[in-house]
Amino acid sequence: MLIAQISDLHIRPKGQLAYGVSETNLFAEHAIHALLQLDPKPDCLLVTGDLTDCGLDEEYAIVAELLGRMPCPVYAVPGNHDRREPFRRAFAQGGYLPRSGPLNFAVWCGPIHVIGLDSLVVGSSHGALCPETIRFLEEALAGSPDAPTLIMLHHPPFDTGIAHMDATRLLEGSEQLEKIVAANRQVRRVLCGHVHRSIQRIFGGTLCQIAPSVGHQVALDLRPEGPSCFVLETPEFLLHRFAQADVVTHTANVNRAPGPFPFILPADYPGAKPGTSLGADA
């Protein structure tokens, strides 16, 4: 079972750049192309928020067309750059979003239970889990206590050391979330976005992972007064491979690099004939 995760597309209306610099629409095109080139292909695609930059219907139309190219089910949660009702309209045909209230959902990707949580706070950059969302999570977990489970939301529930992003993380509900995760050992991952970098931390006894962006990345600046900036580092995504309820996560580049090249042993390599392929011993 292979589950792909992309995050923070920040799609703009056609012809516009994010922040006047980032070609997010083109980056998103490249990301979908990279996913379609995978072999084996993902069984499911998760999108952890900020699908658009301003939550405009025009932006959601572009996102829906891009995600519609995927031959597998696609499930998304909103981020602080999204708007709840346009988001709901854009993905209504998917059938997994509620018709009203927070955009929480629970779906199955084969044997994997995926729980999506709405951490959007209207008019704010930080995230929160309202009481209704906390109840939804508890009930969804109680209904499948033995199934390997992924929880996905946009805002990470922990500090990363990037001060301007930590100020807008999940500021309400993070302690409750950690207690719930700790009490439900079937949770294999908590998946987030928002920070535009690949970051991990143990959370509630499992691994909480922040996905990098498939567009621009937030600058890695751990100074307490570091400015809010982004850099055009390589766009990336995550691949979560499930095997017998265990999960291994790979970070993959969107852009294709030169290769692959075989490992050909040099004459000085110990214990093997030179000129042969190193194969699995690389």
Side-chain angles (χ1 to χ4, degrees):
M1 188 76 189
L2 191 62
I3 295 180
Q5 179 190 357
I6 64 174
S7 198
D8 296 272
L9 286 67
H10 288 267
I11 291 295
R12 296 295 288 131
K14 290 181 179 180
Q16 296 188 29
L17 304 178
Y19 312 109
V21 175
S22 184
E23 296 183 277
T24 50
N25 292 28
L26 180 61
F27 291 148
E29 289 264 3
H30 289 173
I32 296 301
H33 179 75
L35 291 170
L36 290 172
Q37 297 305 305
L38 290 174
D39 184 14
K41 288 182 168 48
D43 298 288
C44 178
L45 173 61
L46 308 181
V47 191
T48 43
D50 281 0
L51 283 70
T52 68
D53 202 43
C54 295
L56 305 177
D57 286 328
E58 181 181 354
E59 294 172 335
Y60 282 114
I62 296 171
V63 175
E65 191 279 325
L66 284 171
L67 298 181
R69 300 178 193 176
M70 294 297 297
C72 62
V74 179
Y75 303 107
V77 291
N80 50 290
H81 281 259
D82 292 305
R83 300 191 195 203
R84 194 169 280 122
E85 295 313 314
F87 188 107
R88 196 191 314 271
R89 291 195 298 270
F91 302 108
Q93 290 186 347
Y96 65 95
L97 294 174
R99 294 183 179 180
S100 62
L103 296 169
N104 303 316
F105 61 86
V107 296
W108 291 90
C109 293
I112 311 303
H113 196 204
V114 177
I115 301 174
L117 302 180
D118 182 343
S119 59
L120 170 61
V121 177
V122 177
S124 297
S125 295
H126 76 272
L129 300 179
C130 67
E132 181 179 348
T133 294
I134 292 293
R135 286 195 300 272
F136 177 89
L137 173 61
E138 291 176 324
E139 291 172 2
L141 288 169
S144 56
D146 300 319
T149 300
L150 300 176
I151 296 173
M152 59 183 290
L153 70 161
H154 180 64
H155 295 86
F158 62 87
D159 285 340
T160 65
I162 303 175
H164 65 95
M165 297 305 299
D166 292 342
T168 63
R169 69 171 179 87
L170 188 71
L171 297 182
E172 302 171 41
S174 59
E175 292 183 2
Q176 289 173 287
L177 177 61
E178 186 165 19
K179 290 178 181 177
I180 293 170
V181 170
N184 289 270
R185 307 310 301 169
Q186 73 268 35
V187 178
R188 299 292 192 268
R189 289 284 192 277
V190 178
L191 305 177
C192 311
H194 189 57
V195 186
H196 292 231
R197 298 204 70 85
S198 180
I199 305 170
Q200 304 85 36
R201 196 199 111 172
I202 297 300
F203 179 83
T206 192
L207 190 62
C208 184
Q209 291 190 273
I210 302 172
S213 172
V214 294
H216 50 271
Q217 310 304 322
V218 165
L220 179 56
D221 189 339
L222 302 180
R223 295 174 296 173
E225 303 301 325
S228 176
C229 296
F230 68 92
V231 291
L232 297 179
E233 291 179 1
T234 302
E236 296 177 319
F237 60 95
L238 300 182
L239 283 172
H240 309 283
R241 180 180 181 271
F242 279 83
Q244 298 179 347
D246 190 22
V247 57
V248 173
T249 299
H250 299 263
T251 301
N253 288 334
V254 166
N255 299 328
R256 183 172 178 178
F261 306 104
F263 290 97
I264 304 299
L265 296 179
D268 297 330
Y269 186 82
K273 295 179 179 180
T276 60
S277 176
L278 187 60
D281 295 328

